[in-house]
Structures are given as C-alpha cells and as structure tokens.
Amino acid sequence: MPAALGPSNYGKSRVRLFRVTRDGERHDVADLTVDVAFEGKYRDVHLQGDNAAVLPTDTMRNTVYALAKQHPVTPVEGFGRALAEHFLGATEECDRVRIRIATHGWERIAVGGRPHRHSFVRGSGERRMAYVFADRDSVRFEAGIEDLEVLKTTQSAFEGYIKDRYTTLPETRDRIFATIVSARWKYASAPADFDAAFAAVRTAMLETFAEHESKSVQQTLYAMGAAALDAAPEIPEIRLSLPNRHHLLFDIGRFGLENRNEVFVPTPEPFGLIEATVVRTE
Amino acid sequence: MPAALGPSNYGKSRVRLFRVTRDGERHDVADLTVDVAFEGKYRDVHLQGDNAAVLPTDTMRNTVYALAKQHPVTPVEGFGRALAEHFLGATEECDRVRIRIATHGWERIAVGGRPHRHSFVRGSGERRMAYVFADRDSVRFEAGIEDLEVLKTTQSAFEGYIKDRYTTLPETRDRIFATIVSARWKYASAPADFDAAFAAVRTAMLETFAEHESKSVQQTLYAMGAAALDAAPEIPEIRLSLPNRHHLLFDIGRFGLENRNEVFVPTPEPFGLIEATVVRTE
Amino acid sequence: MPAALGPSNYGKSRVRLFRVTRDGERHDVADLTVDVAFEGKYRDVHLQGDNAAVLPTDTMRNTVYALAKQHPVTPVEGFGRALAEHFLGATEECDRVRIRIATHGWERIAVGGRPHRHSFVRGSGERRMAYVFADRDSVRFEAGIEDLEVLKTTQSAFEGYIKDRYTTLPETRDRIFATIVSARWKYASAPADFDAAFAAVRTAMLETFAEHESKSVQQTLYAMGAAALDAAPEIPEIRLSLPNRHHLLFDIGRFGLENRNEVFVPTPEPFGLIEATVVRTE
Amino acid sequence: MPAALGPSNYGKSRVRLFRVTRDGERHDVADLTVDVAFEGKYRDVHLQGDNAAVLPTDTMRNTVYALAKQHPVTPVEGFGRALAEHFLGATEECDRVRIRIATHGWERIAVGGRPHRHSFVRGSGERRMAYVFADRDSVRFEAGIEDLEVLKTTQSAFEGYIKDRYTTLPETRDRIFATIVSARWKYASAPADFDAAFAAVRTAMLETFAEHESKSVQQTLYAMGAAALDAAPEIPEIRLSLPNRHHLLFDIGRFGLENRNEVFVPTPEPFGLIEATVVRTE
C-alpha cells in the first residue's frame, strides 16, 4: 500500500486529580485535569501492531496519581515538568512529552465572615491552563486561561465599517461587549514564580478589558494582549481568542417603548470570533 | 377515538433577558432566563385545532421584554408576579400562570482593587431560582438554588451500614464530601424582602454544610434543610437534592506509597443521589 | 428544632452498563444507564446519622453489574424488575424501589452491504426509557422515549390565535415544525412483549407526526398521544412534552430576494413548550 | 509599547442554516452550521480602532443566508466555494477566506415502510465536515468527519507493551474497542463528486474498523487511514484522532461470578487519545 506514517502522538486525556494538602486543620485543595501526550518512534506500533515501544496510557494515568503523592502539584507547571521528566526516563522511544494541566477553581466557604479551613464552594468556570513540552534536551512552558467570561455594558462602539448590499447592522457608539476569553502565552524562560506571572497576566487582561474605550473587539483584543506583555516580561507572545457574544437590543419600539440600552437578548449563536497573536518587539 | 385530554400546559421556555440599569456611570445588570407556562381551557386547541384561545408563545416572549422596560426586574419574584398578572389579564382562557426565573451571576471586575462601575466577570454556575404561581384569586411564591457546588475535605464519615454479598465499600471516618446543591422551598407568605430571604437560606445551608460533622449525606441534608427553616420563618418546607459526587481514594498502595486522604479521583458517574423534604412543625 | 422529615429517597444514578451477549460469532449489545432509588424507613438516618438501615449506593451499583451477569438485561423492564425484587429482598427498611433504565442505541456497521456480527455504529441520541416501581405487594411499569428529534417541512400551520399589543408573529399556513419528543406512558398491566409495545407506540407517534395536517403543536401532540393509545391497548395514558424548536424564515426580502419557505434559521432558544397528557376513555 | 500584531483572523461562527429544496411534494433538507473566517490587512483595525477595512461579521451571516437562496448548498464544498469567492470580491483587505461547514444528518421517517416525502428524524450525532480555503489565486478543499462513534466487541487485543513500576493494566487478547472517530483529509484536487469521495472515505474507514484484527488502537488507526487513501485517489493525506473510550470489565469475580467479556462499565474519562496522519507515498 502506498502509505506512510506522518506525525503522530498518543497519550491519556482527562486524568482527573484532586489533591488535598493538610496543614493541621487547614486544608488546601488542587483540582486538576491532566492530559499526557507522547511523540516518538512509534512507526512499528502503527504499521506492525508491535507494542514493544508502548508505555500504556493506563500507566500514564497511574503515574499521574503516584507522582501527585511524591511531588508538589503546585505550581502546576512544576508538577507538569516532574511528570514529563519521569516519562522521558521511563521509555526510550518517547522523544517528546506534552503535559497539559487545567486547574478548576474552588473558594473557601465563608462561615461567620471567615474563610473555612476545609470547606469550599466552586468558583466560576474559568480555568487556568499550563502546558509543558519536554524532550531530552530542554523543557518549555506555556500558560493560558480558558472560559474567562466578561462583559461590559458601555464604552464599546462599532462604527465606520464596510457597508455592502448584505449589510443591515446599524452603527453604534454604545453597545454591550461580552466575551469569553481564551488566552495562551509562551514563556521565553521559566518565570521565578509561575503563579505570580499568571496572576499578573490575568489582572492585566481583566483591567484592560474593563477600562478600554473599545472601538472594536479587535482593538480591545490587541490592547489586552499588549497589556499582558507589559505585565510579564517573560512572555514573548500571547494569542487571544475572543468570541463576540452578541447581546441584541430587543425592539420594543414596536410597542411604543424606548430601549435606551436597557433591554437585551443574549444570544448563544452565531457569534463573532476574533483571534490574534500579539508579539513582543525587541 | 376513546381518548381525552388530561392535564396540559403550554408556554415559552428559555427567554433570555439581560437588563441594564444605569445610575449615572454605575450600571447594574440582571441576567435572567425566564420560562412562562399557561394552564387553562385549551381542550379545543388540542382536539379541534382551534387556536382562538391561544396567546402565542412568541407573544409571551415579546411581553417579557416589554415588561422588563416597564417594571423593575429585581427582586425577580416581583417581576415574575408582574408577568403573571399581565398574562392573566391578557387572556380569559388562561386559568393559571407559572413563571420561572433563573438568575445568572455576574461580579464586578476589580480594577486597582475597586469594583468597576460597568464591567463584570461571570460568577460560578450557581443559579438563584424564583417561581411564581398565579391564578385570578391568589399568587404563590417558591424559590430555590441550582448548581451550588460545594466540597469539604474532612468531617465526613460513612459507617455502620448494611453489608451484603455485593458490598465492597470500606467504612470510613474521613472522606471527601462533594455535592451540587439543588434546593427549592415554598414561601407561606411573601417575605418582606425576597433578596434577604434568599440570602439567609443560602448562607444557612452553606455554613451548615461547612461545619456539620457528617455521618452521611442524608444527615447533612437534613441539617441543611433544618437550618434553612430556622433562617427564614416564611418557609414551611424545603426540598434538597444532593448528588454525592464521589472522590475516590486512588490506590497508590500498589506502588508502595501511602495515601493519607491526599490523592483522589473525582468521578462524574455514577453518583449517589439523596433527596428529602424538611418540613416545619407547628 | 421545629422540623421534621418529609418525603425522601436515596439511591445511585447513572450506573453505566454495557452488556455483551455472545451467540457464537454474532454478538448483541445492550448499552444502558440505570438509576436506582429507595424509599422507606429512613428517619433515623436523616435525624440521628444512624446508618443501620442503609444499603450503600455503592452496593446498589455493584448489584446492577452482578445481576447483569445472572439475568437477561433485555427486555429492560424485566431486568428492572429483577433488580427491584432483589433490592426489596436485601433490606427490610426499604419499602419501595424505583428503577429507571435508559437504552442507548447502536446499529450494526454494514460491511459489503451486510450487518457486521460484532461491530456497531452509534444511532441517534434517542433513548428508550423504562421505569419499574415495586413494593412488596406489587410491581408497576412505565415506559417512554427521550430526545426523539423530528422535523417536517410543511403541513404545519398556525393561525387564528389571540392578537394583543405585544403580538408580532405573522399567521402562517406553511411552516417548519421541529420538535424533540419526550413521551412517557403507563402500562395498566405488563404487556406480553415490552419490546413490541414500545415499538408500536414509537411507530404510531412517528407516523402520526409525519402525516398530520397540523394546525398547532397542541393539536399534533394530541393526535400523537391518541395514536399511541390506539397502538397499545395496555396503555391507559401517555404524557408528551414537545418543545417547538423554531426554524425562523430569514428575511432576505431586504436583499431583493424572495424566501419561499426555503431558507431558515434553526434557533436553540427560546422555544415553545407544549405538554399534555392523553388519557384513554373506554 | 514594544508590541506588534502577529497572525490574526476574524469572522462569524455557528451560522445555523436550514435549507429546504422542494421538488413538488418531495422535500430535501440540508441542515448546516457555517463558520466564516477572514485573514488579511487588519493591522489598523487592531492598533488604531479604524474599522474602514472591516466587513462586519453580521454581514457575513446575512451573506450566508442570501447566498443559500441563490446557490445550491449541496455539495457543501461548492457552497463553501461560492461563499469564499463572494467574500473575496466584497472586500479588498481580505486576503484569505476560510469556510467550515458541518452537516447535521436527518433521515426520512418511514411511514408504512416508505420514506416520507417531507418528514424527517434526526440521525446520529456524526457530522460531515467541509473546509474551503480560498485566496485570489487558488481554492483548496479539505473534508472530514466528527463524532462518528463506533464500537466492536471483539477482535481487539493489547499485549506486549512496556511494564514499569506503575503498570497495573493486564494484557488482553479480547477487549471492547470503542472510539469516536474524528478524521480530516486534504484533497490534492477537487474530486469530480465531493459527495461520492466523502462516502468512499467513510465506508472505507467503517469497514476497516469493523474487520480489522486490532493489536492496538494505533494499528487500527493506521489501517483506517490507509484504507481511506486507497478509497479516494484525490486524498494525499488524512489525519485521524481516536479517543479510546474504555469499557472496563467489571470485577464480579469478588461475588463468585465469572465475567467472560460480558459485563462492562463504559467510562467517560479518562480516555486514551491516539492521533496520527497517514500520508500517500508517490
């Protein structure tokens, strides 16, 4: 058959790990979803059905739990690195390991106004993401945010665009801007404090979104990306993906009522999708 | 045909309403999902295809937006009542209106440590629920919470249960207790302040969950329900539905490691499901 | 505390069972999701934390798999009955068992035009539902369908309804009628062949939907329910829930084009929701 | 600020289109989800908030519906091409258009054993995918399948793999192999019949999955990809992504019962994930 194997990878996805760290009566929790992927010399696996080079994905799963006992799981980038290095040591045929870790948020329940020592309530759907890429020569880190949902009720305009025969959208100087931020950035070098770097990027993006006098989603996206680069010197580039979750003015003029940007219909689909990378220049 | 019409209802579901209230530069938002259902004299609609008695569900939708301009939408119970009373006035054949309103949470973005005047970030998936049941003689209110996800890492035991030939679960004095609270309660009379009543019930349930020395999900459920009744005198009964989202100890003993309640696997299914009503006595 | 326990139940939900039956080289599969719920004398469990009466939900789960080895799992109603009777025998405190079984569809892959002996492709999202309610005196069966999505492109009208100040919907003699059928019916007595009874009801509903000259969702719902009663004499009543998944005509008239019921926008929300019970009258 | 714009794109996602074609009483339907993305000279949009080069995503949406009236929507690749060419003609600043079209399946309802002329029931969740990439010099096509869920109950083994200290998986010569096929392939040139090419690839993959004596998911993936290349000479390469949806043998040996590959637990997570590209050689 005139066929050959191109790029391939295999691994285990959605390994759910909940790690409790007890400091006396005070407990800390880390709620993680870990994905592991290997790339390497797997031609015979695919073509011959020879599994001699295969570390089973079930073993990958077991290893995540075993290492979660033996290593700190936060910062998650460090845990990802420990996993990657373990796997590179466990099998010769694997040339490159990718670890992806999503962190799900929990906040302490307030009891009598004070954060409880061991009881928690789920935070928003926002997830902190960490990515580790390791081979036998190097390790590289990326980070990101998924499902950070934000909205501003004013200081968002959209005017001066192309009109053609299929254009019906009215120009506006005041609309709702609602989006669900996905961001992913590279670290040129490992930051001294991964948690601080993440927090700085997140804060920069949120504050920029809140304060920006937006002329378009595109412009605000760029401002958010540039602010992230300003906030964390280790980041050479950041990619943002901003769906424009349209909140439509409902036409109550038909009923003799005036809608002064008060009554909106949030719509799930279709949505605009604006994506761009912002890169640091020297 | 030997058939007849039994109980019936019709209406519009998932009317999404986003209401902005502007107080100068400070904006408040209400993000609601409204369901409307009518019961009434609709036999000919079903049997004859005679629509003379039908207020279209599309009109119900329009009305939600029109009234959102003309009435306050918070407290949501008041908005629901306005909707119900409008609909009872709009059609003779409708005998009973049910309004269900879910409130989706938004929090102000902190900029420089201060809540922003018009920019928001999505809260958790928890939803406050309001239910209004109205006919031409009376109006009745219920309220609830959905998807309030909580977890405690200790002070939860499960011992002393029945063992049979299919039992493999080990007894434990210390396990994770994770659940997603659904609660729904009745108001014997409309509270003076619906928002305060809701907050009191929510706080009572959360604090009880956090502090309870749990011998079972059942026992904690009852304690949470009783605390809710204590917190809000207008409530004659409350029903709670608590899925037991099992966090399994991962067996790292096979690898010569000891799991001191540190490494868990959160599992989506199957789940225990504990449901009960707690009622006020005299 | 002036509180008491009202109605309660507990059990295990979403027990996933995949059962393979091998008849030589030909394999049959049953892909089921089983929910188990107990009602009974559980006051001390809730109030005292005394678990002496509790058969753990983990044991319920184990029992589903153990009995799936020892009993046929189809017809699912028979399997549900075996489960219920086992549980009533396993614990004195349980007064009533409810079993709910969803069947997920698989079809044989066609190879060279012939159904394969052991390879399958997932069918639609439609699920056959079975419900068994058992106490020590009796057993009762219900059945149903969930997520049966259907659509007709014509022979659906909606005219002659109430118009008020908030009405904007135009009357129509020709629209798309799209819905996702949920149906649930009782069996007055156990049918001789549960699978045949289910198939008869399903076919009656589908054929009626296809052929009906619909003047409203309400009228078609009633016709479908009446046809189901006609098709299966064991059924005293059936409840149908039909969301009206609106397919809106897109306004291309603005572009000088005529939309002769050709170009539609399927919308996920809001949706009409029409629900009714059709009952047999001898 | 030391920042610059890297790669960017913008467009409209999830434009839902339902197109009815009437041939007398017989109606055909196409249920599509269309995504549009532009790449081009959008630096000033991002950096200056100058929208002069922006065709609004709302206009993209309108255009999808307008062209669905004026052009056939099947084969979807042709419709995608018409959209792409329109957009390239509508704006100078756009250099490259990407169109992605998902087709959702509907089957005719059988009435009295015959396919109905205008009534349909939803098929499986499987989606046919089409991708068109166009600039002013060329147009390029890709196609794919998403969510094609398949399962075989035997002729799947997994043996001879690496064992280390964290390995607990037993070797097996007979297991369930369940996966959800995602495939995507390129066309070196537009096939004479896009629908036939798609059908040939789909059949080749399904039949290979059904018949393959699998030594691993990797080996079967490769065989499926090679069969696809065999079936359609226009395809230079195909990428497959196969999650291994584990069906675990439930341990009923603890209850004195023997599980002869009969009683399984389907698990949603974690899952193996096997991905590879198969390329045509000369």
Side-chain angles (χ1 to χ4, degrees):
Chain A
M1 197 167 350
L5 184 67
S8 75
N9 54 271
Y10 86 101
K12 199 70 151 194
S13 291
R14 293 191 60 81
V15 178
R16 296 282 291 114
L17 167 63
F18 193 88
R19 181 66 162 88
V20 180
T21 306
R22 299 177 168 219
D23 179 9
E25 290 211 324
R26 184 183 166 90
H27 293 191
D28 286 295
V29 300
D31 188 359
L32 310 178
T33 298
V34 180
D35 293 0
V36 178
F38 285 13
E39 298 173 20
K41 303 172 193 73
Y42 300 118
R43 194 177 170 281
D44 285 357
V45 182
H46 281 281
L47 271 68
Q48 312 300 337
D50 175 352
N51 295 321
V54 177
L55 188 80
T57 67
D58 188 74
T59 304
M60 295 177 190
R61 178 190 68 120
N62 286 350
T63 305
V64 169
Y65 296 108
L67 266 64
K69 166 70 185 184
Q70 303 172 78
H71 291 264
V73 299
T74 55
V76 284
E77 287 83 359
F79 182 55
R81 178 179 195 152
L83 283 167
E85 291 177 347
H86 171 89
F87 287 128
L88 287 169
T91 152
E92 275 180 38
E93 293 83 357
C94 174
D95 294 327
R96 189 164 181 255
V97 173
R98 288 185 277 143
I99 305 290
R100 177 184 181 272
I101 304 179
T103 302
H104 311 283
W106 290 94
E107 299 165 7
R108 289 178 191 277
I109 293 176
V111 177
R114 285 203 209 133
H116 197 268
R117 59 203 178 284
H118 64 247
S119 295
F120 301 84
V121 60
R122 172 73 75 179
S124 79
E126 174 189 349
R127 294 184 301 287
R128 171 178 170 179
M129 305 301 301
Y131 307 85
V132 182
F133 304 87
D135 58 26
R136 287 190 177 73
D137 298 321
S138 67
V139 59
R140 204 161 52 72
F141 299 94
E142 299 187 9
I145 296 182
E146 289 188 357
D147 282 342
L148 170 60
E149 194 168 356
V150 292
L151 177 149
K152 59 195 296 181
T153 53
T154 190
Q155 292 189 353
S156 169
F158 189 48
E159 301 174 291
Y161 44 76
I162 297 171
K163 283 94 189 174
D164 73 7
R165 63 177 295 212
Y166 297 133
T167 302
T168 57
L169 185 75
E171 295 185 296
T172 179
R173 294 194 176 173
D174 196 1
R175 61 174 184 174
I176 286 181
F177 179 2
T179 189
I180 304 174
V181 179
S182 289
R184 182 163 167 173
W185 57 89
K186 298 181 178 177
Y187 288 115
S189 58
D193 182 335
F194 280 106
D195 294 351
F198 175 84
V201 171
R202 182 180 182 279
T203 298
M205 292 198 297
L206 276 178
E207 293 193 348
T208 303
F209 174 81
E211 295 279 31
H212 193 242
E213 285 279 353
S214 176
K215 292 181 177 171
S216 67
V217 176
Q218 283 89 329
Q219 191 202 19
T220 302
L221 180 155
Y222 185 82
M224 291 168 70
L229 297 187
D230 260 3
E234 304 90 344
I235 304 181
E237 66 177 64
I238 181 170
R239 183 161 184 83
L240 284 135
S241 177
L242 299 191
N244 190 355
R245 304 298 297 240
H246 308 296
H247 284 56
L248 309 178
L249 272 178
F250 192 82
D251 178 10
I252 51 176
R254 298 174 288 182
F255 313 134
L257 301 168
E258 188 186 358
N259 194 348
R260 302 183 182 177
N261 278 349
E262 296 162 305
V263 179
F264 296 88
V265 187
T267 60
E269 64 183 23
F271 55 88
L273 183 59
I274 319 299
E275 301 183 309
T277 301
V278 183
V279 298
R280 187 182 300 276
T281 53
E282 75 276 13
Chain B
M1 196 165 348
L5 184 67
S8 74
N9 54 272
Y10 87 101
K12 199 70 150 194
S13 290
R14 293 191 60 82
V15 178
R16 296 282 291 114
L17 167 64
F18 192 88
R19 181 66 163 86
V20 179
T21 307
R22 298 175 169 221
D23 178 9
E25 290 212 325
R26 183 185 166 88
H27 293 191
D28 285 295
V29 300
D31 189 358
L32 310 179
T33 298
V34 181
D35 293 1
V36 177
F38 284 14
E39 298 173 19
K41 301 172 195 73
Y42 298 119
R43 194 176 169 282
D44 285 357
V45 183
H46 281 280
L47 271 68
Q48 312 300 336
D50 176 352
N51 295 321
V54 177
L55 187 81
T57 68
D58 188 73
T59 304
M60 297 178 189
R61 178 190 66 122
N62 286 350
T63 305
V64 169
Y65 295 108
L67 267 62
K69 166 70 186 183
Q70 302 171 79
H71 292 263
V73 300
T74 55
V76 286
E77 286 83 358
F79 182 54
R81 178 179 195 152
L83 283 167
E85 290 177 348
H86 170 90
F87 287 128
L88 287 168
T91 154
E92 276 180 38
E93 293 83 356
C94 174
D95 295 326
R96 188 164 182 255
V97 174
R98 288 186 277 142
I99 306 289
R100 177 185 181 273
I101 304 179
T103 301
H104 311 284
W106 290 94
E107 299 166 7
R108 291 178 190 275
I109 294 176
V111 177
R114 285 202 211 133
H116 197 268
R117 59 203 178 284
H118 65 246
S119 295
F120 301 84
V121 60
R122 171 74 74 180
S124 79
E126 173 189 350
R127 293 184 302 287
R128 171 177 169 179
M129 305 302 300
Y131 308 84
V132 181
F133 304 87
D135 58 26
R136 287 190 177 73
D137 299 320
S138 66
V139 58
R140 203 161 51 73
F141 300 95
E142 299 187 8
I145 295 182
E146 288 188 358
D147 282 341
L148 171 59
E149 194 168 354
V150 292
L151 177 150
K152 58 195 296 182
T153 52
T154 190
Q155 292 190 353
S156 168
F158 189 48
E159 300 174 291
Y161 44 75
I162 296 172
K163 283 95 189 171
D164 72 8
R165 64 178 292 212
Y166 297 133
T167 302
T168 57
L169 185 76
E171 296 185 295
T172 178
R173 295 193 176 175
D174 195 1
R175 62 174 184 173
I176 286 181
F177 178 2
T179 189
I180 303 174
V181 178
S182 289
R184 183 163 168 173
W185 57 89
K186 298 181 178 176
Y187 289 115
S189 57
D193 182 335
F194 279 106
D195 295 350
F198 175 85
V201 171
R202 183 180 181 277
T203 297
M205 291 198 298
L206 276 178
E207 293 193 348
T208 303
F209 174 81
E211 295 279 30
H212 193 243
E213 284 278 354
S214 175
K215 293 181 177 170
S216 68
V217 176
Q218 282 89 331
Q219 191 203 19
T220 301
L221 181 156
Y222 185 81
M224 291 169 70
L229 297 186
D230 260 3
E234 304 90 344
I235 305 181
E237 67 176 64
I238 181 168
R239 182 160 184 83
L240 284 135
S241 177
L242 298 191
N244 190 355
R245 303 298 298 242
H246 308 297
H247 283 57
L248 308 178
L249 272 179
F250 192 81
D251 178 9
I252 51 176
R254 298 173 289 181
F255 313 134
L257 302 167
E258 188 186 359
N259 195 347
R260 301 182 183 177
N261 276 350
E262 296 163 305
V263 179
F264 295 88
V265 187
T267 60
E269 64 183 23
F271 55 88
L273 182 59
I274 318 300
E275 301 183 308
T277 301
V278 183
V279 297
R280 189 181 299 276
T281 53
E282 80 272 14
Chain C
M1 197 162 357
L5 185 68
S8 74
N9 55 270
Y10 86 102
K12 199 71 153 192
S13 289
R14 294 192 60 81
V15 179
R16 296 282 291 116
L17 168 63
F18 193 88
R19 181 65 163 89
V20 180
T21 307
R22 298 175 169 221
D23 179 10
E25 289 211 325
R26 184 184 165 89
H27 294 191
D28 286 295
V29 301
D31 189 358
L32 310 179
T33 298
V34 181
D35 294 358
V36 177
F38 284 14
E39 298 172 18
K41 301 171 196 73
Y42 299 119
R43 194 177 170 282
D44 285 356
V45 182
H46 281 281
L47 272 68
Q48 312 300 336
D50 175 352
N51 295 321
V54 177
L55 189 80
T57 68
D58 189 73
T59 304
M60 296 178 189
R61 178 189 68 121
N62 285 350
T63 304
V64 169
Y65 295 108
L67 266 62
K69 167 69 185 186
Q70 302 172 76
H71 292 264
V73 299
T74 56
V76 285
E77 286 84 358
F79 182 54
R81 178 179 194 151
L83 283 167
E85 291 178 347
H86 170 89
F87 287 128
L88 288 169
T91 151
E92 275 179 39
E93 292 83 357
C94 175
D95 295 326
R96 189 165 182 253
V97 173
R98 288 186 277 143
I99 306 289
R100 177 184 182 272
I101 304 179
T103 302
H104 311 283
W106 290 94
E107 300 167 5
R108 289 179 190 276
I109 293 175
V111 177
R114 284 201 211 135
H116 197 268
R117 59 205 178 284
H118 65 247
S119 295
F120 301 84
V121 60
R122 172 72 73 177
S124 78
E126 173 189 348
R127 293 183 302 286
R128 171 178 169 179
M129 305 302 301
Y131 307 85
V132 182
F133 304 87
D135 58 25
R136 287 190 176 73
D137 298 320
S138 67
V139 58
R140 203 162 52 73
F141 299 95
E142 299 188 9
I145 296 182
E146 289 188 358
D147 282 341
L148 171 60
E149 194 168 354
V150 293
L151 176 150
K152 59 194 298 182
T153 53
T154 189
Q155 292 189 354
S156 169
F158 189 49
E159 300 174 294
Y161 44 75
I162 297 172
K163 282 95 190 170
D164 72 9
R165 64 177 293 211
Y166 296 133
T167 302
T168 57
L169 185 77
E171 295 186 296
T172 179
R173 294 193 176 175
D174 197 0
R175 62 173 184 174
I176 286 181
F177 178 2
T179 189
I180 303 174
V181 179
S182 289
R184 182 162 169 174
W185 57 88
K186 298 180 177 177
Y187 288 116
S189 57
D193 183 334
F194 279 106
D195 294 350
F198 175 86
V201 170
R202 182 181 182 278
T203 297
M205 291 198 298
L206 276 178
E207 293 193 348
T208 303
F209 174 82
E211 296 279 29
H212 193 243
E213 284 279 354
S214 175
K215 293 182 177 170
S216 66
V217 176
Q218 283 89 330
Q219 191 202 20
T220 301
L221 180 156
Y222 185 82
M224 291 169 70
L229 297 186
D230 260 5
E234 304 90 343
I235 302 180
E237 69 176 62
I238 181 169
R239 182 162 184 82
L240 283 135
S241 177
L242 298 191
N244 190 355
R245 303 298 298 240
H246 308 295
H247 284 56
L248 308 178
L249 272 178
F250 192 82
D251 177 8
I252 52 176
R254 298 173 287 181
F255 314 133
L257 302 167
E258 189 186 357
N259 194 348
R260 301 182 183 178
N261 277 350
E262 295 162 304
V263 179
F264 295 88
V265 188
T267 58
E269 64 184 23
F271 55 88
L273 182 60
I274 319 300
E275 302 183 307
T277 301
V278 183
V279 297
R280 186 182 301 277
T281 53
E282 68 279 12
Chain D
M1 198 162 357
L5 184 67
S8 73
N9 54 271
Y10 87 101
K12 199 71 152 191
S13 290
R14 295 192 61 80
V15 178
R16 296 282 291 116
L17 168 63
F18 193 88
R19 181 66 164 87
V20 179
T21 307
R22 297 175 168 220
D23 179 8
E25 289 212 325
R26 183 184 166 89
H27 294 191
D28 285 295
V29 300
D31 188 358
L32 310 179
T33 299
V34 181
D35 294 359
V36 177
F38 284 14
E39 297 173 19
K41 301 172 195 73
Y42 299 119
R43 193 178 170 281
D44 285 357
V45 183
H46 281 281
L47 272 68
Q48 311 300 335
D50 175 352
N51 295 321
V54 177
L55 188 80
T57 68
D58 188 72
T59 304
M60 297 178 189
R61 178 190 67 120
N62 285 350
T63 305
V64 169
Y65 296 108
L67 266 62
K69 167 70 185 185
Q70 302 172 76
H71 291 264
V73 299
T74 56
V76 285
E77 286 84 358
F79 182 54
R81 179 179 194 152
L83 283 168
E85 291 177 347
H86 170 90
F87 286 128
L88 287 169
T91 152
E92 275 179 40
E93 293 83 356
C94 175
D95 295 326
R96 188 165 183 254
V97 173
R98 288 185 276 143
I99 306 289
R100 177 184 181 273
I101 304 180
T103 302
H104 311 282
W106 290 94
E107 301 166 6
R108 289 178 191 277
I109 293 176
V111 177
R114 286 204 210 131
H116 197 267
R117 60 204 177 284
H118 64 247
S119 295
F120 301 84
V121 60
R122 173 71 75 178
S124 77
E126 173 189 348
R127 293 184 302 286
R128 172 179 169 178
M129 305 302 300
Y131 308 85
V132 182
F133 304 87
D135 58 26
R136 288 190 175 73
D137 298 320
S138 67
V139 58
R140 203 162 52 73
F141 299 95
E142 298 187 10
I145 296 181
E146 289 187 358
D147 282 341
L148 171 59
E149 194 168 355
V150 292
L151 176 150
K152 58 194 299 182
T153 52
T154 188
Q155 291 189 356
S156 169
F158 189 48
E159 300 175 292
Y161 44 76
I162 297 172
K163 283 94 188 170
D164 72 8
R165 63 178 294 211
Y166 297 133
T167 303
T168 56
L169 186 76
E171 296 186 296
T172 177
R173 294 193 175 177
D174 196 1
R175 62 173 184 173
I176 286 181
F177 178 1
T179 189
I180 303 174
V181 179
S182 290
R184 182 163 169 173
W185 57 89
K186 298 181 178 177
Y187 289 116
S189 57
D193 183 335
F194 279 107
D195 294 351
F198 175 85
V201 170
R202 183 181 182 278
T203 298
M205 291 197 298
L206 276 179
E207 293 193 349
T208 302
F209 173 81
E211 295 280 29
H212 194 242
E213 284 280 354
S214 176
K215 292 182 178 169
S216 66
V217 176
Q218 283 90 329
Q219 192 202 19
T220 301
L221 180 155
Y222 185 81
M224 291 169 70
L229 297 185
D230 261 3
E234 304 89 344
I235 303 179
E237 68 175 64
I238 181 170
R239 183 161 184 83
L240 284 135
S241 177
L242 298 191
N244 191 355
R245 304 297 299 239
H246 309 296
H247 284 56
L248 308 178
L249 273 178
F250 192 82
D251 177 9
I252 51 176
R254 297 174 287 181
F255 314 133
L257 302 167
E258 189 185 359
N259 194 348
R260 301 182 183 179
N261 277 350
E262 296 163 303
V263 179
F264 295 88
V265 188
T267 59
E269 63 182 24
F271 55 88
L273 182 59
I274 319 298
E275 301 183 308
T277 301
V278 183
V279 298
R280 190 180 299 277
T281 53
E282 76 277 10

